[in-house]
Amino acid sequence: MIKLILSVLVIGAISLFPGTAEAAVMGPSMQKLTWHYYKVYNTCENAENFVRHQVEKFYKNDTSIAPKLLRLLYSDCFVTGCDASVLLEGPNSERKAPQNRGLGAFVIIDKIKKVLEQRCPGVVSCADILNLATRDAVHLAGAPSYPVFTGRRDGLTSDKQTVDLPSPSISWDASMAYFKSRGLNVLDMATLLGSHSMGRTHCSHIVDRLYNFNKTGKPSPTMNKSFLSEMANKCPPRTKKGQTDPLVYLNPDSGSNHSFTSSFYTRVLSNKSVLEVDQQLLYNEDTKQISEEFSASFEDFRKSFALSMSKMGSINVLTKNEGEIRRDCRRRN
């Protein structure tokens, strides 16, 4: 059934954009945006090329920008929508929320914005830059170069109290409810969690799985025993105040290469997921089938990723006269 659903989505995408197998199905929010907006309206014809060139320069020196930008985009879109509010600075801004500890890649967006302001002043939004830069970075890491519809405007507020990003130990039901609240479905959830095929997380996000699963005082009973031992060596119990909080790879198979790969799903099926929210994919029949399919077919994962990323990028976007086009992504005009 899941295979059929995925096939229908991909066929629908191809019909929207003939010759582009990695195109997006347009939902109501996405219809507010425009394919190649800055070229169509002749405001900054080469905007997307400028973004891509800067991302390529950064990526050559640091492949970790791909997962960093992915997390930054997720942290933006899933809170108040894709309005670049996470980029705003301030003592009570979104980036100060506990869930956003360790967010990176701000300097990349700042650099791209500076370049675009030199070439097309006051035209390209920070929200569009974040979406385009993320697409280009993950493409360099092995993901598809999915279409990013543009024309977003930047939000005027950023409040850490609005940040409701869930715990990495969230249950399947709670995770599904969270994704549904953002207009995304079960296939989107299973696909977007595949972003954890690269990047790192703090040990504090997984010690409950290793030592006190569901407050039992014991490790997760489903976690692969050899992997449990491996992770316990890297993440000791948190027993002392001021204890260091090491970083571990979300997908040890990808590791420092930060490559986009379907091995994430193979690890899910082998009970070797680092985060509990990822392992939960195995405990629902639909997401288990999706994981099996993506583990067997990297191309199916790539196609679904293209669709789901385009959908995520259209969550609660601001367009036309809403918001503003920031001159500096860190502060309002």
Side-chain angles (χ1 to χ4, degrees):
M1 181 63 179
I2 295 297
K3 179 77 172 178
L4 177 60
I5 292 172
L6 180 57
S7 297
V8 169
L9 284 175
V10 173
I11 290 170
I14 294 171
S15 67
L16 278 171
F17 292 88
T20 307
E22 293 151 347
V25 174
M26 292 182 73
S29 234
M30 201 177 298
Q31 290 170 8
K32 296 171 67 176
L33 301 173
T34 302
W35 179 235
H36 294 312
Y37 174 88
Y38 299 101
K39 185 178 290 186
V40 168
Y41 291 99
N42 196 31
T43 53
C44 190
E45 183 176 357
N46 292 310
E48 295 188 27
N49 292 332
F50 293 145
V51 173
R52 186 175 300 112
H53 177 66
Q54 292 301 317
V55 169
E56 288 171 350
K57 287 172 63 177
F58 274 101
Y59 190 85
K60 284 179 182 177
N61 295 319
D62 181 11
T63 59
S64 74
I65 70 165
K68 287 175 182 175
L69 282 166
L70 263 176
R71 185 186 170 200
L72 190 58
L73 181 63
Y74 160 75
S75 297
D76 185 42
C77 293
F78 270 75
V79 178
T80 55
C82 302
D83 61 354
S85 55
V86 74
L87 303 180
L88 287 171
E89 286 185 325
N92 296 304
S93 63
E94 289 174 29
R95 64 163 82 186
K96 296 295 184 180
Q99 301 96 315
N100 284 331
R101 179 172 68 115
L103 274 184
F106 294 105
V107 67
I108 298 171
I109 303 302
D110 289 341
K111 172 61 176 176
I112 296 171
K113 179 61 173 174
K114 185 176 180 180
V115 169
L116 284 165
E117 283 299 302
Q118 290 171 348
R119 289 160 172 75
C120 313
V123 172
V124 184
S125 70
C126 300
D128 276 346
I129 290 172
L130 178 54
N131 275 267
L132 290 165
T134 301
R135 185 270 310 276
D136 293 339
V138 296
H139 178 50
L140 290 170
S145 183
Y146 56 89
V148 172
F149 291 78
T150 42
R152 297 170 189 78
R153 288 172 66 85
D154 300 321
L156 302 175
T157 61
S158 182
D159 183 357
K160 67 180 181 182
Q161 299 300 324
T162 65
V163 178
D164 61 349
L165 300 174
S167 161
S169 298
I170 194 172
S171 69
W172 189 95
D173 287 335
S175 180
M176 188 69 259
Y178 185 75
F179 274 77
K180 278 186 176 179
S181 72
R182 270 60 179 175
L184 302 172
N185 59 32
V186 66
L187 182 57
D188 296 319
M189 181 180 82
T191 301
L192 292 173
L193 285 177
S195 298
H196 295 159
S197 67
M198 53 187 175
R200 299 191 296 176
T201 190
H202 283 282
C203 281
S204 56
H205 290 147
I206 63 172
V207 287
D208 56 337
R209 300 194 73 209
L210 303 177
Y211 306 107
N212 192 25
F213 183 71
N214 285 345
K215 299 182 179 178
T216 60
K218 299 178 181 179
S220 170
T222 60
M223 202 169 180
N224 177 278
K225 294 297 184 285
S226 63
F227 184 58
L228 171 62
S229 177
E230 177 187 336
M231 295 309 297
N233 286 334
K234 295 177 179 178
C235 298
R238 297 185 63 75
T239 57
K240 294 178 283 188
K241 188 175 181 179
Q243 186 174 339
T244 59
D245 191 4
L247 286 162
V248 292
Y249 290 110
L250 286 166
N251 178 6
D253 294 341
S254 174
S256 60
N257 291 327
H258 300 290
S259 54
F260 183 86
T261 167
S262 61
S263 64
F264 165 86
Y265 296 99
T266 304
R267 298 189 69 87
V268 169
L269 298 171
S270 302
N271 283 297
K272 292 182 178 180
S273 294
V274 173
L275 297 178
E276 181 63 26
V277 66
D278 297 337
Q279 193 59 66
Q280 289 284 321
L281 291 173
L282 187 58
Y283 308 132
N284 170 271
E285 194 56 37
D286 285 344
T287 51
K288 180 183 177 182
Q289 286 183 36
I290 295 169
S291 298
E292 289 171 344
E293 180 181 337
F294 289 169
S295 174
S297 174
F298 184 41
E299 277 309 300
D300 281 351
F301 172 38
R302 293 177 84 249
K303 289 171 183 175
S304 188
F305 187 79
L307 301 172
S308 294
M309 285 296 290
S310 290
K311 287 175 68 176
M312 185 180 80
S314 70
I315 297 174
N316 293 337
V317 294
L318 302 176
T319 58
K320 297 181 180 177
N321 295 321
E322 300 170 314
E324 65 181 7
I325 304 296
R326 285 183 220 141
R327 291 187 292 271
D328 180 339
C329 292
R330 293 176 181 254
R331 52 191 58 85
R332 286 184 54 181
N333 292 342

